[in-house]
Amino acid sequence: MNIALVSVIVEDYDDAIAFYVKKLGFVLLEDTPISNTKRWVRVAPNAAAECSLLLAKATSADQATHIGNQTGGRVFLFLNTDDFWRDFRRFEANGIKFVRQPTEEIYGTVAVFTDLYGNLWDLIQPRNH
Protein backbone atom coordinates (compact mmCIF):
# COMPACT_ATOMS: atom_id res chain seq x y z
CA MET A 1 0.00 0.00 0.00
CA ASN A 2 0.99 3.61 -0.47
CA ILE A 3 -0.55 7.04 -0.15
CA ALA A 4 -1.51 8.08 -3.67
CA LEU A 5 -3.20 11.47 -3.20
CA VAL A 6 -3.41 14.27 -0.67
CA SER A 7 -6.26 16.76 -1.05
CA VAL A 8 -5.46 20.45 -0.86
CA ILE A 9 -8.53 22.67 -0.60
CA VAL A 10 -8.21 25.57 -3.03
CA GLU A 11 -10.23 28.65 -3.87
CA ASP A 12 -9.74 28.46 -7.63
CA TYR A 13 -8.50 25.61 -9.85
CA ASP A 14 -6.65 27.76 -12.38
CA ASP A 15 -4.89 29.92 -9.77
CA ALA A 16 -3.78 26.78 -7.91
CA ILE A 17 -2.53 25.12 -11.11
CA ALA A 18 -0.59 28.26 -12.02
CA PHE A 19 1.05 28.36 -8.58
CA TYR A 20 2.05 24.72 -8.43
CA VAL A 21 3.15 24.42 -12.06
CA LYS A 22 4.70 27.83 -12.77
CA LYS A 23 6.09 28.78 -9.35
CA LEU A 24 6.99 25.41 -7.82
CA GLY A 25 7.74 23.63 -11.10
CA PHE A 26 5.29 20.78 -10.50
CA VAL A 27 3.81 18.76 -13.35
CA LEU A 28 0.10 18.93 -14.16
CA LEU A 29 -0.78 15.23 -14.22
CA GLU A 30 -4.51 15.55 -14.84
CA ASP A 31 -7.22 18.16 -15.27
CA THR A 32 -10.49 16.40 -15.98
CA PRO A 33 -13.88 18.17 -15.85
CA ILE A 34 -16.39 16.28 -13.71
CA SER A 35 -19.24 18.79 -13.87
CA ASN A 36 -19.74 22.49 -14.69
CA THR A 37 -18.14 23.41 -11.36
CA LYS A 38 -15.96 20.44 -10.39
CA ARG A 39 -12.66 19.17 -11.84
CA TRP A 40 -10.27 16.35 -10.99
CA VAL A 41 -6.92 18.16 -10.87
CA ARG A 42 -3.71 16.41 -9.89
CA VAL A 43 -0.21 17.90 -9.65
CA ALA A 44 3.10 16.45 -8.47
CA PRO A 45 6.77 17.43 -8.22
CA ASN A 46 7.50 15.13 -11.15
CA ALA A 47 5.57 12.90 -13.52
CA ALA A 48 6.74 9.73 -11.76
CA ALA A 49 5.76 10.90 -8.27
CA GLU A 50 4.27 8.16 -6.14
CA CYS A 51 2.07 10.65 -4.31
CA SER A 52 0.36 13.63 -5.92
CA LEU A 53 -1.80 16.51 -4.77
CA LEU A 54 -5.48 16.64 -5.61
CA LEU A 55 -6.42 20.31 -5.94
CA ALA A 56 -9.95 20.30 -4.58
CA LYS A 57 -12.02 23.45 -4.92
CA ALA A 58 -13.98 24.29 -1.78
CA THR A 59 -17.66 23.52 -2.32
CA SER A 60 -19.11 24.79 0.96
CA ALA A 61 -18.65 27.68 3.35
CA ASP A 62 -17.19 25.27 5.93
CA GLN A 63 -14.59 23.96 3.46
CA ALA A 64 -13.72 27.50 2.44
CA THR A 65 -12.83 28.37 6.05
CA HIS A 66 -10.03 25.78 5.88
CA ILE A 67 -8.35 27.12 2.74
CA GLY A 68 -4.78 27.96 3.70
CA ASN A 69 -5.06 26.46 7.18
CA GLN A 70 -5.72 22.78 6.66
CA THR A 71 -3.62 21.74 9.67
CA GLY A 72 -4.34 24.43 12.22
CA GLY A 73 -1.14 26.38 11.56
CA ARG A 74 1.30 23.45 11.51
CA VAL A 75 3.44 22.54 8.53
CA PHE A 76 1.13 20.68 6.17
CA LEU A 77 3.30 19.16 3.46
CA PHE A 78 6.95 18.16 3.20
CA LEU A 79 8.81 18.51 -0.09
CA ASN A 80 12.08 16.58 -0.22
CA THR A 81 14.87 17.72 -2.53
CA ASP A 82 18.26 16.34 -3.47
CA ASP A 83 19.68 19.89 -3.78
CA PHE A 84 18.29 22.26 -1.18
CA TRP A 85 20.09 25.42 -2.29
CA ARG A 86 19.22 24.97 -5.98
CA ASP A 87 15.51 24.66 -5.18
CA PHE A 88 15.53 27.31 -2.45
CA ARG A 89 17.04 29.86 -4.85
CA ARG A 90 14.67 28.85 -7.68
CA PHE A 91 11.64 29.19 -5.38
CA GLU A 92 12.81 32.60 -4.15
CA ALA A 93 13.33 33.74 -7.76
CA ASN A 94 9.76 32.59 -8.52
CA GLY A 95 8.34 34.69 -5.68
CA ILE A 96 7.76 31.90 -3.17
CA LYS A 97 7.43 33.36 0.33
CA PHE A 98 9.65 31.73 2.94
CA VAL A 99 8.38 32.27 6.48
CA ARG A 100 11.28 30.45 8.15
CA GLN A 101 14.74 30.79 6.67
CA PRO A 102 17.03 27.80 6.06
CA THR A 103 18.43 25.99 9.05
CA GLU A 104 20.55 22.90 9.58
CA GLU A 105 18.65 20.40 11.68
CA ILE A 106 19.50 16.90 12.85
CA TYR A 107 17.42 15.49 9.98
CA GLY A 108 18.69 17.82 7.23
CA THR A 109 18.54 21.32 5.75
CA VAL A 110 15.06 22.85 5.94
CA ALA A 111 13.12 26.06 5.31
CA VAL A 112 9.39 26.73 5.56
CA PHE A 113 7.41 28.36 2.75
CA THR A 114 3.75 29.07 2.08
CA ASP A 115 1.63 28.10 -0.86
CA LEU A 116 -0.62 30.66 -2.53
CA TYR A 117 -3.24 30.28 0.20
CA GLY A 118 -0.93 30.20 3.22
CA ASN A 119 -0.54 26.46 3.89
CA LEU A 120 2.89 25.81 5.36
CA TRP A 121 5.38 23.56 3.57
CA ASP A 122 8.83 22.30 4.54
CA LEU A 123 11.46 22.26 1.81
CA ILE A 124 13.90 19.61 3.07
CA GLN A 125 17.11 18.04 1.94
CA PRO A 126 17.36 15.02 4.21
CA ARG A 127 20.79 14.22 5.67
CA ASN A 128 21.00 10.98 3.69
CA HIS A 129 21.27 12.88 0.35
Side-chain angles (χ1 to χ4, degrees):
M1 294 176 19
N2 66 305
I3 295 174
L5 288 168
V6 174
S7 289
V8 175
I9 303 169
V10 301
E11 188 175 295
D12 180 83
Y13 290 117
D14 295 323
D15 290 346
I17 291 168
F19 175 82
Y20 286 101
V21 173
K22 293 179 181 171
K23 295 213 177 243
L24 292 185
F26 281 28
V27 175
L28 177 62
L29 300 173
E30 184 175 1
D31 185 356
T32 304
I34 295 175
S35 71
N36 288 339
T37 58
K38 189 173 182 180
R39 291 155 57 183
W40 185 261
V41 178
R42 293 185 313 119
V43 297
N46 61 67
E50 218 176 84
C51 184
S52 58
L53 297 180
L54 177 68
L55 304 180
K57 186 175 177 181
T59 59
S60 70
D62 182 50
Q63 286 179 8
T65 65
H66 295 282
I67 294 172
N69 190 22
Q70 293 193 195
T71 58
R74 292 192 56 105
V75 170
F76 176 44
L77 295 163
F78 301 79
L79 185 61
N80 280 3
T81 177
D82 62 354
D83 187 334
F84 178 87
W85 292 106
R86 173 198 66 210
D87 293 331
F88 178 81
R89 287 183 189 101
R90 181 173 53 92
F91 285 6
E92 278 195 320
N94 286 342
I96 300 299
K97 179 183 174 191
F98 281 88
V99 295
R100 290 186 211 132
Q101 290 302 304
T103 60
E104 293 295 328
E105 301 294 339
I106 191 169
Y107 51 84
T109 306
V110 62
V112 180
F113 68 92
T114 61
D115 67 15
L116 75 164
Y117 297 114
N119 290 303
L120 297 176
W121 286 67
D122 270 3
L123 175 64
I124 302 173
Q125 181 175 351
R127 285 257 180 256
N128 59 355
H129 279 112

